[in-house]
Amino acid sequence: MDIVVIKNLNSDRCEKINDTALLNIIDEEYSFAGFSEFRMYVYDYKKNYRIDVAGEIAKLDIADIEYAKNDRDYVVYTSAVSIGYNKLLVYFYSYNYLDNSNRVIAEYKLDISKADGRMKAFVLDENNILIQEKTFNEEKPFKLYIYRQLLDKPINVDIDVLSKYGVQKIISYHGNNCVIQIGRDYSNVTYIGTILINKFISEISVNIGTDLYNSVEQSSEDTYIANLGVCDKYIYYMKINAEDGSEQVIVYDSDNNSKRIRINYNINEKSKIEKIFLVGGEPIVITDSNGKYKVVNLGTQSEIMELMKGDEVLYIDDTFIVMKEYIRRFFWQKYSEVVTVYRYPGIYDDDKRILVENRRFLDCIQNNDELLILLEGERDGEHKRTEEESEKKH
């Protein structure tokens, strides 16, 4: 695997769109109806150019947006206009950067005074979006609708388990398949399953909801589920015993519908799992024992390394470990934050250190045979609006 360091990103947030493009988000010092504004850019790191996403439209941070497909050529954002006291008409735009098309795929009337927290929006594909709003209704605290471009009325997703516990995550992991989490982390009502997006859309459209997802795991009165993630064909998560706090990491192989359980035996002393990485399908975890952090192979129950104070493991695979460390060249200097890459499993081994970057870390993205390390660029002062930008209408 090759390392690709991208350090010209003047970005506050960054995420993958497809194998060549990244989404950059830059926060602005402006707000509308209490929602902050931001700018969006599509950055093609292969060709080294970026596209301003519909720069004439003010973008508002109204909803948490997740995508059911990682490999796509579009992004979704929100804007809004006021339609009365505490009421907004929210527009969900779908922007395709290949043909520079920009269209509204959903219009949503939001009553800020009745909404409890932020909206969640799950982009199923370029034309369908599942919008979830938390309400004050105790029996059905979540309202969910599928919006589709050119559809007169949204499709009401009236499924008891969703209306009661809500969709928390949708993670793309293989083609048209997604992992869905219903219910919150560390809740005794949490469901994890897989869904086929096309089937989900078609069945909801004709009011079929019996086979919403293929169940992978469910919490119970004495167990919690947390830390859901995906890696290649694997789905992984923690199962925690509510009574004694004991932890299991479960790795589900979607190819053969099998599970492997790895137990945290609290090596040497009481410890809790903070992070999970999969290396060759086996969980490598970061444990915390009274502020001492260790890298542990749960499969072999062996400690790989104890971390120095303040250091953090950002990414591990079977080739590299990416670290955030605090170092200083001379004893009279202050410690500075750096991003360091070692060859696995050589944390802190000088002969295995292959990269040191003195920039703020944004993200690591595994992209086919490349590991993208995204670092913040050197900003040219504050971002200021031009007169033209100041005249943008919401």
Side-chain angles (χ1 to χ4, degrees), residues 239-250:
K239 200 167 186 179
I240 304 160
N241 187 292
E243 184 175 346
D244 61 14
S246 59
E247 301 168 326
Q248 297 178 348
V249 174
I250 300 176

Side-chain angles (χ1 to χ4, degrees), residues 40-312:
M40 296 176 69
Y41 299 89
V42 174
Y43 175 63
D44 188 318
Y45 75 91
K46 296 284 189 181
K47 299 179 180 178
N48 194 28
Y49 73 89
R50 73 175 189 173
I51 301 169
D52 189 353
V53 175
E56 73 281 1
I57 299 176
K59 298 163 184 66
L60 301 174
D61 194 12
I62 295 175
D64 294 322
I65 297 176
E66 296 182 13
Y67 295 88
K69 295 182 178 180
N70 278 335
D71 194 11
R72 61 190 191 278
D73 51 19
Y74 58 89
V75 296
V76 171
Y77 64 91
T78 54
S79 189
V81 295
S82 176
I83 55 174
Y85 179 72
N86 271 339
K87 292 180 173 60
L88 298 177
L89 181 58
V90 180
Y91 298 102
F92 285 81
Y93 285 87
S94 177
Y95 175 83
N96 189 305
Y97 75 93
L98 294 181
D99 59 13
N100 199 34
S101 62
N102 191 50
R103 56 198 174 89
V104 176
I105 59 172
E107 295 182 6
Y108 188 88
K109 292 181 180 179
L110 176 65
D111 188 334
I112 301 173
S113 63
K114 293 182 179 180
D116 181 13
R118 291 164 55 83
M119 298 168 55
K120 292 180 74 75
F122 304 96
V123 182
L124 305 180
D125 60 23
E126 194 169 6
N127 300 303
N128 292 274
I129 183 168
L130 175 67
I131 296 177
Q132 173 176 286
E133 181 183 341
K134 193 173 180 182
T135 70
F136 292 105
N137 187 322
E138 292 184 0
E139 293 184 1
K140 291 188 174 183
F142 297 95
K143 294 195 302 185
L144 297 97
Y145 299 91
I146 287 183
Y147 284 77
R148 183 177 303 163
Q149 189 188 28
L150 303 180
L151 194 66
D152 291 335
K153 292 181 63 177
I155 301 168
N156 183 18
V157 183
D158 189 13
I159 299 175
D160 287 342
V161 68
L162 298 186
S163 300
K164 190 171 183 179
Y165 303 111
V167 178
Q168 297 302 311
K169 294 179 184 178
I170 289 183
I171 308 174
S172 175
Y173 79 103
H174 180 63
N176 201 33
N177 288 285
C178 291
V179 180
I180 183 172
Q181 177 178 336
I182 301 168
R184 296 176 291 110
D185 278 0
Y186 298 98
S187 167
N188 58 8
V189 184
T190 306
Y191 302 85
I192 295 175
T194 61
I195 60 174
L196 192 64
I197 290 299
N198 291 346
K199 181 182 178 183
F200 178 84
I201 294 171
S202 60
E203 288 191 354
I204 292 296
S205 298
V206 292
N207 295 318
I208 300 175
T210 54
D211 297 321
L212 174 66
Y213 61 92
N214 298 315
S215 179
V216 173
E217 190 65 80
Q218 179 179 343
S219 62
S220 62
E221 291 184 358
D222 57 358
T223 59
Y224 301 143
I225 292 174
N227 290 3
L228 173 65
V230 299
C231 181
D232 298 326
K233 65 176 182 176
Y234 300 108
I235 300 169
Y236 60 87
Y237 52 93
M238 283 175 56
K239 200 167 186 179
I240 304 160
N241 187 292
E243 184 175 346
D244 61 14
S246 59
E247 301 168 326
Q248 297 178 348
V249 174
I250 300 176
V251 180
Y252 172 79
D253 187 331
S254 59
D255 280 356
N256 54 34
N257 193 31
S258 64
K259 294 179 183 177
R260 284 177 286 119
I261 299 174
R262 298 292 182 258
I263 300 174
N264 179 18
Y265 283 112
N266 301 323
I267 302 169
N268 295 335
E269 54 190 353
K270 187 72 173 178
S271 63
K272 292 294 181 182
I273 295 174
E274 295 290 323
K275 282 186 178 181
I276 305 171
F277 302 94
L278 287 193
V279 178
E282 288 291 340
I284 306 296
V285 299
I286 311 301
T287 64
D288 174 13
S289 175
N290 297 320
K292 293 182 179 180
Y293 294 88
K294 298 178 181 180
V295 185
V296 176
N297 184 322
L298 274 194
T300 62
Q301 293 294 315
S302 59
E303 296 178 3
I304 297 174
M305 180 66 65
E306 182 174 334
L307 301 181
M308 295 182 183
K309 186 176 180 179
D311 291 354
E312 181 182 356

Side-chain angles (χ1 to χ4, degrees), residues 3 319-321 340-343 349-356:
I3 293 179
T319 307
F320 304 114
I321 298 179
T340 312
V341 180
Y342 296 91
R343 292 202 179 278
D349 294 341
D350 290 338
D351 60 332
K352 291 190 176 182
R353 184 187 293 117
I354 61 175
L355 180 70
V356 178

